[in-house]
Amino acid sequence: MEYETVIGLEVHVQLATHSKIFCGSSAAFGAEPNENVDPLTFGLPGSLPVLNWSVVEFAIMLGLAMNCEIRKFNRFARKHYFYPDLPKGYQISQFEEPICERGSLRVPIEDAVRTIGIKRIHMEEDAGKNIHDSRTQSSLVDLNRAGVPLLEVVSEPDIRSPAEAGAYMRTVRQLVRWLGISDGNMEEGSLRCDANISLRPSGSLKFGTRTEIKNLNSFKFVEQALEYEIARQMSLLKSGKEVIQQTLTFDSATGATSPLRSKEESSDYRYFPDPDLPPLVIEERSIHEIQEKMPKLPEAWYKELVEVYGLSAYDAAVLTAERSFVEYFREVFEISSNAKLACNWVTSELFGLLKKAGLEIHKSPIKPRDLGTLVKLIDSEAISGKMGKLVFEEMFASGEAPQTIIDRKGLKQITGEDQIVAIIKQAFEKNPGQLAEYVGGNDRLHPFFVGQVMKLSSGTANPKRVNDLITREINKLRGAA
Amino acid sequence: MFNYLTTFPGNGQHMINEDGVLKLARLARLKIDKAASIAAAAKLNSILGYVEQLMKVNVEGVEPMSHVHGSTNVYRADEVRPSPNPDAMLQNVPDSSGRFVRVPIIVE
């Protein structure tokens, strides 16, 4: 029997706010243990949560970007469980009333686009971090992360393969970085994922029994864990056994999943509305204000780059990987007006040097307007592509404007016909033997004279024009002979 | 709607037996013995008996209340306002190691 894979992902997005979701402690990563803590983080009696408005804004932004409906009347709920990384004894989350619902995300996969349903997005607080030490039989708790805001994005079970799951997660990461609501840094845990997976006979509408793989923190692990779990479930089903509904953990060292000690059932969490946080009513006006602040989204940019700017699908994909890329390109284009050339200089030359120097694009020593000027100079043949590259490298090293470097080095390209012909004549005079041979019919001497002219002009003559004009001058001499 | 009343395995609709108490104790990470669970079940059932009475009240058409003071939209701007003395929190925990809070190991 053939089986179909059914996958749904829950992605936890850590938000890039300055402060925590319900108190003023810093939400920054990397502080000393228990430095970003306060009475609320420690769940001390008398402390009260106050909602960080940026979290609401970020949630609505992501919801709008994922075509969700935005809930007007919101409440927070307490989700109870006892664990030392959560001293209050409950996590503040949203339960039956998530802020965003019923959306979709278009995910590019190979040459096609798949639309994955978004079931819900809700706001919640992160828990702290535990380090376990079996030697001393103790667990060490750092509460810096406790209370850092999260959005949990729950997809519909619309994903059909591990590759699609990876593509979906990459699209979520691209989008949250694009919106500036999360750094999407997987090494630092800013994007974590739980995957629900089941198999069913192809054509069946009923879902099979699912398992849930917890806490996958890289694209690679998501795909590996799902591959493993598909094979495991498949062999159970093919040998007539049943898949047991359970929670699994993935060991990246062995590439295998294994059952996690069963935690609470949903009813054991004893969800109820948090009385400490008054309901949140979202006005239509707020949604509009947030919508106004949103940047043009990657898919719209992609379409425009292909259809309006005439770039290839590949170039458009490279430029829309990050909002900073397309914004940089846009400035280069504004000055240079040549999209293809601007794109090449940004994606090959600039990205190459940035990568070598280990720099992010916003730290580029070359400002986009300066690169635009350089591209314009090359496009108008004021300097050759080869000179352009020299100027470019100098710009990267010194941060100077292209004109400054061109003037200092005397790099201006000679394009005037009279000037070039004068240099050609000089080359002819200096090499009478080769000239006679060339005029006599030996065309293999053409590159020799091109070389001589370039040398005499110290490389500043436009090579294409030199090429054409030598042929013309030789033909003149041949006609006269 | 939220389910305010969780039904535990018991004899009545909203009654709790010692197994229910032991389950609750496990969720709350409390260690109690059988005798204590029987005593606790009896006490909890007297509370649940009162809840049973309340359940009989006709609340048709009444919105369940989750907040008492009726205010909405209490929020703050995203500004860091560090606690004046985060170390005081650490000094109050029963056990610590360096800057970490130390607890009995929580994984097997």
Side-chain angles (χ1 to χ4, degrees):
Chain A
M1 199 188 320
E2 290 295 308
Y3 287 96
E4 183 184 41
T5 305
V6 177
I7 299 168
L9 295 182
E10 295 169 15
V11 179
H12 290 88
V13 181
Q14 202 177 82
L15 297 180
T17 53
H18 304 293
S19 62
K20 292 188 177 181
I21 180 169
F22 298 120
C23 59
S25 281
S26 168
F29 179 85
E32 289 293 307
N34 293 308
E35 197 171 80
N36 300 334
V37 296
D38 51 43
L40 191 87
T41 312
F42 263 78
L44 297 187
S47 58
L48 282 172
V50 185
L51 178 63
N52 179 343
W53 176 249
S54 285
V55 175
V56 180
E57 272 194 351
F58 288 1
I60 293 173
M61 264 193 205
L62 188 59
L64 292 173
M66 290 183 166
N67 309 302
C68 292
E69 294 165 22
I70 310 297
R71 179 182 298 276
K72 302 283 148 51
F73 185 82
N74 285 266
R75 280 187 298 190
F76 286 93
R78 291 184 178 183
K79 177 183 181 179
H80 297 80
Y81 61 93
F82 290 100
Y83 221 56
D85 57 12
L86 199 69
K88 291 196 303 302
Y90 55 86
Q91 177 192 30
I92 306 178
S93 181
Q94 290 187 290
F95 183 48
E96 291 187 336
E97 297 156 316
I99 185 161
C100 312
E101 280 176 294
R102 288 180 287 275
S104 63
L105 181 64
R106 286 165 54 79
V107 177
I109 174 148
E110 281 160 26
D111 291 334
V113 173
R114 283 266 285 124
T115 301
I116 307 295
I118 300 295
K119 192 183 172 108
R120 55 184 281 162
I121 303 172
H122 70 253
M123 303 176 275
E124 63 184 26
E125 59 179 340
D126 208 344
K129 252 184 186 161
N130 306 315
I131 304 167
H132 308 298
D133 184 354
S134 55
R135 195 179 47 84
T136 61
Q137 284 295 299
S138 58
S139 293
L140 301 178
V141 187
D142 172 10
L143 294 171
N144 283 344
R145 200 179 65 182
V148 169
L150 295 178
L151 292 180
E152 181 173 326
V153 182
V154 183
S155 86
E156 294 287 355
D158 290 345
I159 299 166
R160 292 288 170 267
S161 70
E164 273 186 27
Y168 168 84
M169 229 182 139
R170 284 186 185 90
T171 308
V172 171
R173 181 176 185 272
Q174 175 200 31
L175 195 55
V176 298
R177 286 176 59 84
W178 196 279
L179 294 169
I181 64 175
S182 171
D183 62 19
N185 189 328
M186 303 192 78
E187 291 81 46
E188 293 177 4
S190 301
L191 215 58
R192 311 192 290 271
C193 167
D194 300 339
N196 287 289
I197 172 164
S198 62
L199 301 183
R200 65 179 171 191
S202 295
S204 161
L205 291 178
K206 229 180 91 204
F207 292 127
T209 306
R210 67 185 166 83
T211 56
E212 182 179 12
I213 315 168
K214 283 281 185 194
N215 224 355
L216 298 163
N217 59 3
S218 87
F219 300 129
K220 205 176 82 190
F221 295 163
V222 170
E223 294 184 31
Q224 279 179 356
L226 287 169
E227 294 284 2
Y228 180 89
E229 193 50 21
I230 289 169
R232 192 187 70 87
Q233 292 191 9
M234 186 87 80
S235 80
L236 281 175
L237 294 172
K238 289 213 161 151
S239 60
K241 293 184 190 129
E242 278 182 8
V243 174
I244 305 164
Q245 182 168 346
Q246 59 188 344
T247 307
L248 306 168
T249 178
F250 174 69
D251 183 345
S252 57
T254 61
T257 60
S258 56
L260 211 58
R261 196 163 55 101
S262 78
K263 276 220 313 196
E264 285 79 359
E265 314 264 319
S266 177
S267 66
D268 292 340
Y269 286 129
R270 290 151 287 145
Y271 282 102
F272 67 77
D274 192 325
D276 288 346
L277 285 155
L280 173 70
V281 180
I282 294 168
E283 313 273 350
E284 199 60 47
R285 181 175 44 86
S286 304
I287 299 175
H288 281 298
E289 279 170 17
I290 292 163
Q291 194 144 34
E292 293 291 309
K293 280 199 260 181
M294 280 172 58
K296 192 194 292 181
L297 296 177
E299 199 181 355
W301 257 119
Y302 178 90
K303 206 163 141 43
E304 192 169 319
L305 289 174
V306 172
E307 288 172 7
V308 182
Y309 290 76
L311 296 181
S312 69
Y314 175 81
D315 284 341
V318 172
L319 286 176
T320 52
E322 297 277 348
R323 191 172 102 205
S324 52
F325 295 175
V326 81
E327 284 177 350
Y328 191 103
F329 160 80
R330 169 76 216 183
E331 274 194 73
V332 175
F333 172 78
E334 264 170 22
I335 308 276
S336 66
S337 316
N338 182 333
K340 181 69 198 152
L341 200 59
C343 173
N344 285 348
W345 278 88
V346 173
T347 59
S348 333
E349 305 300 335
L350 181 69
F351 284 7
L353 287 192
L354 286 173
K355 197 174 171 192
K356 237 194 245 168
L359 292 174
E360 300 275 341
I361 196 165
H362 66 270
K363 294 257 173 72
S364 168
I366 302 182
K367 298 293 147 236
R369 301 189 73 78
D370 286 339
L371 186 55
T373 308
L374 180 69
V375 172
K376 195 179 174 159
L377 288 167
I378 296 163
D379 194 31
S380 66
E381 297 191 342
I383 59 169
S384 68
K386 214 168 168 184
M387 276 185 242
K389 211 154 170 182
L390 288 175
V391 175
F392 175 77
E393 278 160 12
E394 187 95 14
M395 286 164 73
F396 195 87
S398 67
E400 287 173 301
Q403 203 59 57
T404 315
I405 296 163
I406 290 166
D407 290 348
R408 188 173 65 235
K409 301 209 154 193
L411 281 175
K412 205 155 171 60
Q413 179 158 254
I414 301 170
T415 48
E417 184 173 321
D418 293 349
Q419 275 173 292
I420 292 175
V421 169
I423 302 167
I424 291 172
K425 291 205 164 138
Q426 265 184 60
F428 287 173
E429 276 164 31
K430 284 193 171 173
N431 303 284
Q434 286 91 335
L435 178 65
E437 235 184 282
Y438 189 5
V439 175
N442 187 356
D443 282 344
R444 280 186 300 181
L445 279 157
H446 179 81
F448 168 77
F449 281 103
V450 174
Q452 292 299 306
V453 173
M454 292 310 290
K455 205 167 140 193
L456 285 167
S457 73
S458 318
T460 60
N462 177 327
K464 195 177 169 303
R465 304 227 62 197
V466 169
N467 202 42
D468 295 346
L469 288 169
I470 288 177
T471 308
R472 199 187 75 184
E473 291 304 308
I474 289 293
N475 285 339
K476 268 195 208 165
L477 292 173
R478 283 174 179 168
Chain B
M1 254 320 298
F2 287 95
N3 184 14
Y4 291 96
L5 269 181
T6 310
T7 309
F8 292 98
N11 28 19
Q13 170 77 43
H14 295 106
M15 299 301 260
I16 189 165
N17 61 16
E18 65 237 50
D19 286 341
V21 174
L22 288 173
K23 184 182 178 192
L24 269 181
R26 191 182 61 77
L27 291 172
R29 305 294 183 261
L30 296 174
K31 197 185 265 178
I32 62 171
D33 58 25
K34 190 132 181 105
S37 76
I38 294 168
K43 284 184 185 168
L44 285 170
N45 278 330
S46 74
I47 299 170
L48 289 174
Y50 176 61
V51 176
E52 288 269 88
Q53 277 183 48
L54 290 179
M55 297 291 286
K56 294 194 181 102
V57 179
N58 182 3
V59 288
E60 182 131 354
V62 180
E63 268 291 300
M65 185 183 73
S66 59
H67 296 82
V68 281
H69 44 71
S71 66
T72 58
N73 291 21
V74 178
Y75 46 78
R76 62 187 174 83
D78 180 24
E79 283 159 12
V80 176
R81 286 174 60 193
S83 182
N85 189 3
D87 289 353
M89 255 75 69
L90 270 183
Q91 282 152 19
N92 278 314
V93 302
D95 191 11
S96 60
S97 167
R99 294 197 55 89
F100 289 98
V101 178
R102 182 155 56 192
V103 298
I105 195 157
I106 46 175
V107 286
E108 274 106 54

